[in-house]
Amino acid sequence: MSMLSYSRRHRSLLWYRSAQRALARRQQRQLQQQPQTRIKRASIPSRMLAKPTTSSAVVALAKQARSMDSLSNTTAIHSATTAPDASSLVGAVSALTATAVSSSEDSTNTTAALVTPQISQPADTMMAMDSAKEVTSAISLEQSANRSDKPQPQGSSWSAMLIALFAMIQPEWTKEKLELGEIPLEDIPITSVPPQVSEVLPSRDIALFWRYDMDSYAANRKNEDRSQYVLDSIVRPGRCTETPLFFCGCYDGHGGEEAVDYVQKKLYDNIRAHLTKNDEPVAHSIIMGFKDTEEEFKRRSQVKFEQGSWSSCSVGACAVMALIIEKKLYVASCGDCRAIMAYRESDGTLSVEQITFDHSANEEREQHRLRALYPEDYDIICEIGQKNFYVKGRLQPTRSIGDTYMKVKDVNRYPMPRGLRIRGSFRRPYISAVPDIFQVDLQNRKPEFVVLGSDGLFGELKNEEIVQLVDQFRDQGVQNVSQALREAVLERIAEIYGTSAADLENVLPGHRRDYHDDITIDVLHFTPPHASTQAMAA
């Protein structure tokens, strides 16, 4: 159902109120034409005023009339032998009738006063019951006549108006047909990582790289970041010899651990499968590896959604990876993780180059792209807070693996919580998992080092500051440069909050999220430190 304009909704509500008042006036005239009714029109004190009701009271009175036959017959049988006190019975019937009259006077200031005479004979009791039956039957006929023209709500008028308004502005969702079939889900348990992980890997092949180190530091209760490295050798199609390769990746999860853990376990395997089975460019194999990982997780989350579990559809992961193969460096990025490269100029100075784009709604470039792709969605970019932009008000990364609820319309229904459901055209997925790829020929241009990191690193330090710190730690002979860089980040955060880095580390994971995000750093060294190289040359 398309969204109506404000003026049209306003006219619909006015018509609804006028129809209710017209119905009340017709009921009032019908009641006044009954000569046997024991109701007197009069003004009564405020303490006796009945609460205003709606047509639901009339409907209840009509239902009560249908059960009067058995009640009156029972009264007649008992009155043949004894004379029961019928005042309470007639009072109840009169109260119901007065409630109906008071509901018909919703547009006036007068209400119905009850006059309940003392009746001692059974004949009078029978007459009162018959008159009440005539009144209620007439009301029931009038109500049914009106209901045949325009259906009336069963609840109060305000509830009915809210329901009608909600029906006008609520978009009509249609379920997409998804051929899931009988897909057996592979049992992949989530492997949680410790709050802090640090590793150093010296290279066994200097032609690939000199050293690799990493550090991951949790701010959330469960670390939603992951880091991975693989030293492997494969046989490319059409070749007889093995080709050595080195793969490392930095993954930043959001919403939970499931997506980021799945990416860590499947991304390299999918890339490797394309490298070994298909005679295609390496960049194409990387893109297809991302695509396969995305499709597998999306299908997995949809199957779980049909089984009643929605959490898999609301988690995702950003990824940045580096692959060294055949004397070339390939860097791929999908999301708001980043990779920077440092290299020496001819004069000996160190320069920095950001070799990936930030796929974030905070970037003006991404905002223009999304507004051009989705002109029909006025809320494609929403600002929440000061200079914090989100896609559809939900997600900052504009590319990620997972986040099925931002890509598939059919999962934006029960059992997905209403607060997470996305409302929009869904002509195409709002975010994608297509990576940007950067290639460096290591024979012509060999960098000093490459830094991969999550937004927990690059949100606190600038690219130039990171390169200066890494170069300083390398010259000082620090074994794990990533860990030293993470400690420098914590010192910067501690300065902002007026505390020390040691006190910040004593805060338990989960409470740390009030100060900073998860921090994951991978440093890939291609050459020894510049100071040691100069010393050896001297």
Side-chain angles (χ1 to χ4, degrees):
M1 181 183 297
S2 60
M3 184 177 293
L4 302 179
S5 63
Y6 174 79
S7 59
R8 187 174 176 184
R9 295 199 304 268
H10 185 61
R11 290 196 300 270
S12 301
L13 295 178
L14 290 179
W15 173 87
Y16 183 83
R17 291 295 295 171
S18 62
Q20 289 289 312
R21 291 170 181 170
L23 175 62
R25 287 193 294 269
R26 285 196 298 269
Q27 294 171 355
Q28 177 185 356
R29 288 194 298 268
Q30 185 69 24
L31 289 174
Q32 290 176 352
Q33 294 175 1
Q34 301 297 328
Q36 295 89 358
T37 56
R38 298 175 179 270
I39 299 176
K40 180 180 178 181
R41 309 295 302 174
S43 298
I44 57 177
S46 58
R47 59 184 176 87
M48 296 181 61
L49 288 177
K51 293 182 179 180
T53 57
T54 58
S55 58
S56 59
V58 180
V59 176
L61 184 59
K63 293 180 180 179
Q64 184 73 15
R66 288 193 290 269
S67 63
M68 286 297 182
D69 292 332
S70 59
L71 183 60
S72 60
N73 293 334
T74 304
T75 307
I77 292 173
H78 284 285
S79 62
T81 55
T82 58
D85 185 8
S87 60
S88 60
L89 178 62
V90 177
V93 175
S94 302
L96 285 174
T97 311
T99 306
V101 176
S102 65
S103 66
S104 66
E105 291 294 320
D106 189 25
S107 59
T108 62
N109 294 326
T110 60
T111 56
L114 304 183
V115 179
T116 308
Q118 297 294 330
I119 302 176
S120 59
Q121 296 182 0
D124 294 337
T125 304
M126 295 292 295
M127 183 178 64
M129 298 299 298
D130 293 337
S131 62
K133 287 170 58 180
E134 292 176 1
V135 173
T136 53
S137 61
I139 296 174
S140 179
L141 291 175
E142 179 69 13
Q143 184 75 9
S144 61
N146 293 327
R147 191 181 294 110
S148 62
D149 297 333
K150 296 182 179 63
Q152 299 297 329
Q154 297 294 328
S156 64
S157 58
W158 282 109
S159 300
M161 282 191 294
L162 290 176
I163 293 173
L165 179 61
F166 182 77
M168 287 188 287
I169 65 176
Q170 174 76 4
E172 182 179 356
W173 293 95
T174 57
K175 183 177 180 180
E176 298 176 354
K177 293 183 179 180
L178 181 64
E179 299 295 336
L180 293 176
E182 297 295 333
I183 303 176
L185 288 181
E186 183 182 359
D187 186 14
I188 305 179
I190 299 176
T191 304
S192 298
V193 298
Q196 181 178 349
V197 181
S198 298
E199 292 189 28
V200 178
L201 177 67
S203 175
R204 291 173 293 181
D205 188 355
I206 304 299
L208 286 176
F209 63 97
W210 180 69
R211 179 183 290 177
Y212 166 81
D213 55 69
M214 59 79 57
D215 185 86
S216 182
Y217 186 76
N220 292 287
R221 187 174 61 87
K222 292 185 177 180
N223 195 346
E224 295 180 354
D225 283 7
R226 295 291 189 275
S227 183
Q228 178 186 19
Y229 66 89
V230 179
L231 186 59
D232 197 1
S233 59
I234 62 173
V235 178
R236 299 294 307 276
R239 303 175 189 179
C240 300
T241 59
E242 290 187 347
T243 303
L245 64 84
F246 179 77
F247 174 91
C248 64
C250 175
Y251 314 123
D252 183 3
H254 48 264
E257 294 182 288
E258 185 174 357
V260 68
D261 190 70
Y262 189 87
V263 171
Q264 183 187 26
K265 294 175 179 177
K266 291 293 184 178
L267 180 59
Y268 171 72
D269 293 340
N270 290 331
I271 295 176
R272 189 182 190 278
H274 281 275
L275 288 173
T276 55
K277 294 179 181 179
N278 303 321
D279 188 10
E280 58 188 11
V282 177
H284 187 267
S285 298
I286 294 175
I287 294 175
M288 295 306 297
F290 272 82
K291 180 178 180 295
D292 291 347
T293 306
E294 160 70 13
E295 293 298 327
E296 291 169 5
F297 185 81
K298 183 169 67 174
R299 180 62 60 90
R300 181 183 181 87
S301 62
Q302 287 179 275
V303 172
K304 286 188 174 182
F305 183 84
E306 295 297 333
Q307 296 175 353
S309 176
W310 57 268
S311 60
S312 299
C313 296
S314 63
V315 295
C318 302
V320 59
M321 50 137 289
L323 176 65
I324 305 173
I325 185 174
E326 298 174 347
K327 299 181 180 181
K328 291 183 180 179
L329 169 66
Y330 298 88
V331 178
S333 173
C334 175
D336 55 4
C337 294
R338 187 185 298 180
I340 59 175
M341 181 176 66
Y343 56 93
R344 292 286 173 182
E345 298 287 355
S346 57
D347 57 355
T349 59
L350 194 64
S351 299
V352 58
E353 181 179 349
Q354 181 175 329
I355 55 179
T356 60
F357 292 109
D358 292 343
H359 303 140
S360 172
N362 290 331
E363 298 294 324
E364 188 175 356
R365 166 178 168 270
E366 289 294 293
Q367 294 179 13
H368 291 326
R369 182 181 68 86
L370 290 173
R371 289 193 175 103
L373 287 176
Y374 308 95
E376 66 278 1
D377 288 287
Y378 69 95
D379 59 343
I380 185 63
I381 297 294
C382 297
E383 184 177 6
I384 301 177
Q386 186 177 6
K387 296 182 179 180
N388 288 320
F389 297 91
Y390 295 81
V391 181
K392 299 294 288 186
R394 294 291 189 276
L395 198 63
Q396 271 197 340
T398 56
R399 300 188 194 183
S400 71
I401 298 175
D403 295 308
T404 309
Y405 75 113
M406 298 287 291
K407 302 172 182 177
V408 179
K409 179 179 180 179
D410 186 52
V411 302
N412 288 278
R413 56 179 174 86
Y414 182 82
M416 179 71 71
R418 290 185 178 272
L420 292 178
R421 298 179 193 177
I422 302 298
R423 289 167 172 79
S425 61
F426 272 96
R427 293 185 179 180
R428 61 182 67 86
Y430 287 113
I431 60 175
S432 67
V434 180
D436 288 337
I437 296 181
F438 185 86
Q439 176 181 338
V440 179
D441 190 347
L442 298 178
Q443 291 180 326
N444 299 328
R445 184 186 184 190
K446 196 166 187 177
E448 290 274 321
F449 54 86
V450 172
V451 179
L452 313 178
S454 62
D455 57 348
L457 167 66
F458 293 99
E460 305 296 339
L461 297 177
K462 297 180 180 179
N463 296 341
E464 294 77 9
E465 294 176 327
I466 294 174
V467 169
Q468 291 176 1
L469 288 172
V470 171
D471 186 53
Q472 175 184 341
F473 296 145
R474 281 161 51 91
D475 291 341
Q476 293 175 357
V478 177
Q479 292 296 317
N480 194 332
V481 176
S482 299
Q483 182 178 355
L485 183 59
R486 186 258 303 167
E487 293 173 354
V489 173
L490 293 181
E491 290 178 0
R492 175 66 59 86
I493 298 172
E495 291 178 2
I496 297 175
Y497 290 97
T499 183
S500 63
D503 293 337
L504 204 59
E505 291 181 358
N506 291 332
V507 179
L508 295 177
H511 298 288
R512 292 176 186 169
R513 193 62 182 86
D514 297 334
Y515 303 96
H516 60 86
D517 198 358
D518 296 335
I519 303 172
T520 300
I521 306 170
D522 296 72
V523 180
L524 183 58
H525 308 262
F526 288 91
T527 61
H530 186 62
S532 61
T533 304
Q534 289 180 339
M536 291 177 61

